[in-house]
Amino acid sequence: MNAFQRNASKETLFTLISAGDDPPKGVFPVQKKSPKLCGSNYPLSIAFIVVNEFCERFSYYGMRAVLTLYFLSFFHWDENLSTAVYHAFSALCYFTPVIGAIMADSWLGKYKTIIYLSIVYVIGHLIKSVGAIPSLGNQAVHVILSMVGLFLIALGTGGIKPCVSAFGGDQFEEEHTSERSKFFSIFYLSINAGSLISTFVTPVLRGDVKCFGEDCYALAFGVPAALMVLALGE
């Protein structure tokens, strides 16, 4: 085979590989690498994932920190009923990740599951905040809005818990195992930081700020709602 024939053979092989929908076995297409963070091996997307998780955990634990007091002082429920509803909500938040995991693995994928259920999460927080405005309707309206908001929050957190950490790990290339390990350390640090800060901040917003002539539950729920909107925007 002369040089011209060899070049023609290579060109034919190249044409077959590039024109086909699936490359032949043993031939791997070049994957486009994602942008890196400050020239490191960390994908740029993980910065948004970490901030998103901080805001989400702040919103969840901030809202939950004053939830029982909200039932006791705003709805004037007795302690048994308030405790029962609080624990029912917490149990639902730990059950819905099963639904989120099924949706991600069998239907939407991790990214779309996070986005769609984050929207549900935000709507739940907004409804919960509106339900805490004293001048809006009677107690029945407040209870209905609050229960609907809590249900949507529980459904939304179920779409985030099983997906975000795995989605963050997927951003790394196979050879960057040490960077992936450090990412998970930072990721769980953001979870704990958001939870800790919100546990102190939200009760202060409720007790030290007065609105509508009483404790400002609307603000205490509204700030976590704003953080969740920021998390969705990330």
Side-chain angles (χ1 to χ4, degrees):
M1 182 182 295
N2 57 34
F4 176 79
Q5 290 174 325
R6 287 197 298 270
N7 291 335
S9 299
K10 292 179 181 179
E11 183 178 357
T12 302
L13 177 61
F14 177 79
T15 303
L16 289 174
I17 293 173
S18 60
D21 294 333
D22 298 318
K25 292 182 179 180
V27 179
F28 300 95
V30 177
Q31 296 182 351
K32 185 178 179 181
K33 294 184 177 181
S34 59
K36 302 299 182 182
L37 185 64
C38 299
S40 65
N41 290 325
Y42 293 92
L44 182 62
S45 56
I46 67 165
F48 299 100
I49 293 173
V50 170
V51 174
N52 176 285
E53 189 63 16
F54 174 87
C55 294
E56 189 274 328
R57 290 291 88 185
F58 186 103
S59 67
Y60 174 77
Y61 281 99
M63 178 275 302
R64 208 176 72 163
V66 296
L67 189 58
T68 303
L69 288 175
Y70 176 66
F71 294 151
L72 290 170
S73 62
F74 194 85
F75 289 162
H76 304 292
W77 287 352
D78 60 41
E79 186 174 346
N80 291 333
L81 179 59
S82 299
T83 302
V85 174
Y86 174 84
H87 286 293
F89 168 70
S90 299
L92 185 60
C93 289
Y94 283 100
F95 172 75
T96 52
V98 177
I99 300 174
I102 294 173
M103 290 177 60
D105 290 340
S106 305
W107 182 23
L108 295 175
K110 289 188 284 290
Y111 179 75
K112 288 184 178 179
T113 300
I114 293 170
I115 294 298
Y116 293 160
L117 290 184
S118 290
I119 295 174
V120 174
Y121 205 151
V122 169
I123 294 173
H125 268 294
L126 294 177
I127 293 175
K128 186 75 177 64
S129 301
V130 171
I133 299 176
S135 59
L136 184 66
N138 54 23
Q139 183 172 350
V141 174
H142 297 150
V143 172
I144 292 173
L145 289 176
S146 296
M147 294 304 106
V148 171
L150 288 176
F151 176 78
L152 293 178
I153 290 171
L155 185 61
T157 192
I160 293 176
K161 280 183 178 179
C163 297
V164 174
S165 59
F167 181 71
D170 290 343
Q171 306 305 304
F172 290 87
E173 298 165 13
E174 290 298 328
E175 62 270 19
H176 297 150
T177 55
S178 62
E179 286 84 357
R180 186 187 292 113
S181 298
K182 292 178 182 177
F183 157 73
F184 283 114
S185 297
I186 298 172
F187 179 81
Y188 288 109
L189 175 63
S190 70
I191 291 177
N192 293 324
S195 305
L196 178 65
I197 295 173
S198 66
T199 303
F200 287 102
V201 171
T202 309
V204 172
L205 295 176
R206 178 201 65 85
D208 293 357
V209 179
K210 300 296 180 181
C211 58
F212 307 103
E214 54 187 75
D215 290 344
C216 198
Y217 285 101
L219 180 62
F221 294 140
V223 170
L227 265 292
M228 194 56 217
V229 172
L230 177 61
L232 179 60
E234 294 288 340

